[in-house]
């Protein structure tokens, strides 16, 4: 090996080592697979360089050592594809080069001409590089600035040319020095270009994510503003009619008109209910609602909720049946018992009363498994219409309906229920108008709430409450 060639080889080896370490460090820091591809390409190049330095005879070993760079060529193709939004990979980029390498080996055996045989390997290595260059040149949808792709395309074309000149330069000392020098310059260019280009791409990607997050936050603020406008609309319009009715009725109180007093009482109750719902909604959406989470038996809250609605149940001749199908009747969950009683189960019982025919029953069923405790409020009423079902838990959707007994609602009941269930790490879902094997008739609505199971031991405090 001549002194000039020795110096070029030594500098080339040092550059390879620096490139491997730098790309591996960037891969570790950013965790981006493209840096992993680049690390792999430098490792393959280093191995290829080592193999060619070991095999000096122009035989199968030398040809296979040169053909080994096909792996790096494929890696460059994958890097270019990964940088594009629509990679559109081609299978022939892998199959045809392999075929060409095999043809080169066969040609070497038949002709014993290393130069002629290595042409097949040179073309095989150049094909993925030229294909990647074409993809980079025509890149319209990328993860960053398309100007960088033009530079990438140029470097890939130069690299392909470098391997295409291999059959003509490798067998002479002067040609080898020129080839290694050209390879060193390309390696130096790639070692500068790849880190800067990919970091620019990552910056563009992170900027896009940030823009998406800003857009999301903006949308949430717009939704919150729309909710506030909806609240104002409710206060202006929904409360106007009952307040007017109450004021007109007050003028007739002196006459002792009982129906008038009933209308007044009903209107005032509706006003208070709407005001309370609006307050609850504001507390939930603003994050000011604090929970008092404790381990408790949800069945106790359910019984208390039913007792609260005893008057309304009796007025419609409705009965409530409890079905406790838990494997462990003492299964407990982490809940705010007051909220579960008044806002969750209370709202579900209220809805069941509104949409159940007179004389029917409402079923409250408990069940559990190894992860959750389930509470179901089941009625046999008219069910939920298909046009309302998808937005039944939405604050913004119009879901208010008149009950079977002319009851009015605010439309906030079920959205508030879902908000509270979510705050207690639970989940709510429903089914409507279906057959349940436990009952002989069609179920109107089944509202099913689940909470994570936290204990399965009898609670002393709850046993005392039950004994009382």
């Amino acid at each position: 090996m001549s002194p000039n060639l020795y110096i070029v080889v030594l500098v080339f080896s040092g550059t390879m080592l620096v490139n491997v370490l730098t790309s591996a460090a960037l891969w570790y820091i950013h965790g981006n697979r493209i840096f992993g591809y680049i690390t792999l390409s430098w490792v393959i190049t280093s191995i290829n360089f080592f193999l060619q330095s070991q095999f000096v005879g122009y035989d199968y070993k030398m040809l296979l050592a040169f053909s080994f760079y096909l792996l790096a060529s494929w890696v460059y193709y994958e890097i270019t594809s990964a940088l594009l939004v629509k990679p559109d990979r081609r299978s022939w980029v892998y199959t045809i080069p392999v075929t060409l390498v095999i043809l080169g080996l066969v040609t070497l055996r038949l002709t014993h001409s290393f130069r002629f045989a290595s042409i097949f390997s040179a073309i095989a290595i150049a094909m993925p590089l030229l294909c990647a260059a074409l993809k980079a040149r025509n890149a319209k949808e990328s993860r960053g600035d398309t100007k960088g792709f033009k530079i990438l395309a140029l470097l890939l074309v130069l690299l392909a040319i470098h391997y295409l000149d291999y059959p003509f330069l490798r067998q002479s000392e002067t040609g080898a020095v020129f080839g290694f020098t050209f390879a060193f310059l390309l390696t130096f260019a790639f070692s500068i270009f790849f880190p800067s280009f990919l970091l620019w791409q990552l910056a563009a990607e992170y900027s896009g994510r940030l823009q998406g997050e800003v857009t999301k936050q903006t949308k949430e603020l717009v939704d919150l503003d729309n909710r506030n406008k909806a609240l104002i609309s409710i206060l202006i319009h929904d409360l106007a009619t009952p307040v007017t009715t109450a004021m007109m009725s007050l003028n007739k109180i002196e006459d002792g008109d009982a129906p008038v007093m009933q209308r007044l009482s009903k209107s005032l109750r509706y006003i208070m209910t709407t005001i309370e719902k609006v307050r609850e909604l504001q507390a939930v959406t603003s994050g000011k609602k604090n929970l008092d989470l404790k381990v408790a038996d949800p069945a106790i809250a359910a019984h208390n909720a039913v007792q609260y609605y005893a008057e309304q149940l009796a007025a419609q001749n409705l009965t409530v049946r409890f079905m406790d199908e838990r494997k462990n009747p003492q299964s407990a969950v982490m809940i705010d018992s007051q909220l579960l009683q008044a806002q969750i189960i209370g709202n579900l019982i209220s809805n069941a009363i509104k949409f159940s025919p007179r004389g029917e029953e409402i079923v409250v069923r408990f069940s559990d498994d190894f992860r959750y405790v389930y509470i179901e409020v089941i009625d046999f009423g008219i069910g939920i219409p298909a046009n309302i079902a998808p937005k039944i838990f939405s604050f913004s959707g119009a879901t208010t309906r008149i009950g079977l007994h002319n009851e009015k609602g605010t439309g906030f009941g079920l959205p508030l229920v879902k908000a509270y269930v979510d705050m207690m790490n639970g989940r709510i879902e429903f089914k409507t108008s279906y057959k349940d094997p436990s009952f002989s008739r069609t179920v109107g609505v089944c509202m099913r709430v689940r909470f994570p199971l936290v204990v399965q031991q009898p609670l002393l405090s709850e046993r005392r409450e039950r004994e009382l």
Side-chain angles (χ1 to χ4, degrees), residues 256-429:
D257 193 338
V260 172
M261 295 296 294
Q262 290 178 356
R263 289 197 302 272
L264 174 61
S265 177
K266 185 176 180 180
S267 296
L268 293 176
R269 282 200 304 269
Y270 178 76
I271 292 173
M272 293 305 301
T273 299
T274 302
I275 292 174
E276 288 302 320
K277 295 295 183 185
V278 170
R279 287 176 177 172
E280 288 291 334
L281 176 59
Q282 288 177 323
V284 171
T285 55
S286 63
K288 295 181 180 179
K289 189 70 177 181
N290 296 320
L291 300 183
D292 182 20
L293 296 176
K294 294 180 181 178
V295 176
D297 182 354
I300 298 175
H303 280 81
N304 292 338
V306 170
Q307 291 177 6
Y308 180 82
Y309 285 94
E311 183 179 341
Q312 291 92 320
L313 290 165
Q316 308 303 331
N317 194 26
L318 296 170
T319 59
V320 176
R321 176 159 59 104
F322 289 91
M323 297 175 62
D324 197 338
E325 299 178 354
R326 290 178 289 179
K327 300 178 181 63
N328 184 348
Q330 304 296 335
S331 296
V333 293
M334 184 71 72
I335 54 174
D336 185 322
S337 296
Q338 184 60 34
L339 279 180
L340 180 65
Q341 172 186 323
Q343 298 297 337
I344 299 176
I345 298 179
N347 267 304
L348 298 182
I349 293 293
S350 176
N351 277 355
I353 294 173
K354 286 171 59 176
F355 300 106
S356 293
R358 295 180 185 275
E360 261 294 356
E361 72 170 353
I362 297 170
V363 175
V364 180
R365 181 164 61 185
F366 306 96
S367 59
D368 63 359
D369 56 27
F370 68 97
R371 294 181 62 188
Y372 301 103
V373 172
Y374 302 90
I375 309 167
E376 294 174 301
V377 177
I378 304 169
D379 67 59
F380 303 93
I382 60 175
I384 300 175
N387 64 317
I388 293 179
K391 51 189 177 181
I392 197 73
F393 296 119
S394 171
F395 282 111
S396 57
T399 59
T400 304
R401 292 185 292 159
I402 300 296
L404 292 182
H405 318 295
N406 294 321
E407 302 95 335
K408 293 182 180 180
T410 63
F412 290 146
L414 289 177
L416 281 172
V417 167
K418 185 180 186 307
Y420 285 132
V421 170
D422 291 343
M423 291 168 66
M424 288 189 273
N425 298 316
R427 181 177 178 180
I428 184 170
E429 55 190 7

Side-chain angles (χ1 to χ4, degrees), residues 45-242:
T45 303
S46 301
I47 294 174
N48 171 270
F49 179 73
F50 172 79
L51 291 176
Q52 290 196 64
S53 66
Q54 296 300 307
F55 305 132
V56 295
Y58 299 103
D59 54 9
Y60 289 106
K61 293 180 180 179
M62 176 67 80
L63 185 60
L64 287 173
F66 173 61
S67 301
F68 185 77
Y69 201 87
L70 177 60
L71 298 177
S73 181
W74 282 333
V75 172
Y76 282 123
Y77 178 80
E78 287 296 325
I79 291 173
T80 306
S81 298
L83 288 169
L84 299 174
V85 175
K86 297 179 180 179
D88 190 27
R89 293 176 174 84
R90 305 291 183 178
S91 60
W92 58 264
V93 174
Y94 298 91
T95 56
I96 294 180
V98 172
T99 304
L100 289 173
V101 170
I102 295 173
L103 286 176
L105 294 171
V106 173
T107 301
L108 181 61
R109 179 176 181 81
L110 295 178
T111 65
H112 302 286
S113 173
F114 182 84
R115 175 174 295 178
F116 185 58
S118 61
I119 291 176
F120 289 96
S121 294
I123 296 173
I125 296 171
M127 279 187 62
L129 294 173
L130 293 174
C131 185
L134 184 62
K135 291 164 70 73
R137 174 65 180 81
N138 297 330
K140 294 182 179 179
E141 294 184 3
S142 62
R143 302 181 188 278
D145 189 1
T146 56
K147 293 181 181 178
F149 281 89
K150 304 299 187 293
I151 300 175
L152 176 60
L154 176 61
L155 291 175
L156 290 172
V157 169
L158 292 175
L159 191 59
I161 292 173
H162 165 63
Y163 289 104
L164 287 173
D165 68 24
Y166 178 90
F168 309 100
L169 300 178
R170 185 64 178 88
Q171 289 181 284
S172 68
E173 186 76 8
T174 305
V177 172
F178 176 81
F180 274 117
T181 303
F182 189 38
F184 170 74
L185 293 175
L186 283 175
T187 301
F188 184 76
F190 270 109
S191 64
I192 295 176
F193 172 77
F194 264 135
S196 58
F197 179 56
L198 291 178
L199 289 174
W200 179 265
Q201 295 288 312
L202 286 175
E205 183 177 345
Y206 293 156
S207 177
R209 291 181 184 176
L210 180 61
Q211 183 63 38
E213 186 64 26
V214 170
T215 301
K216 178 182 176 182
Q217 294 291 336
T218 302
K219 184 178 182 300
E220 291 178 355
L221 290 174
V222 171
D223 290 342
L224 181 60
D225 182 62
N226 290 335
R227 291 180 188 177
N228 290 333
K229 291 178 180 178
L231 292 177
I232 295 174
S233 177
I234 290 171
L235 290 174
I236 293 175
H237 299 288
D238 287 20
L239 296 181
T241 301

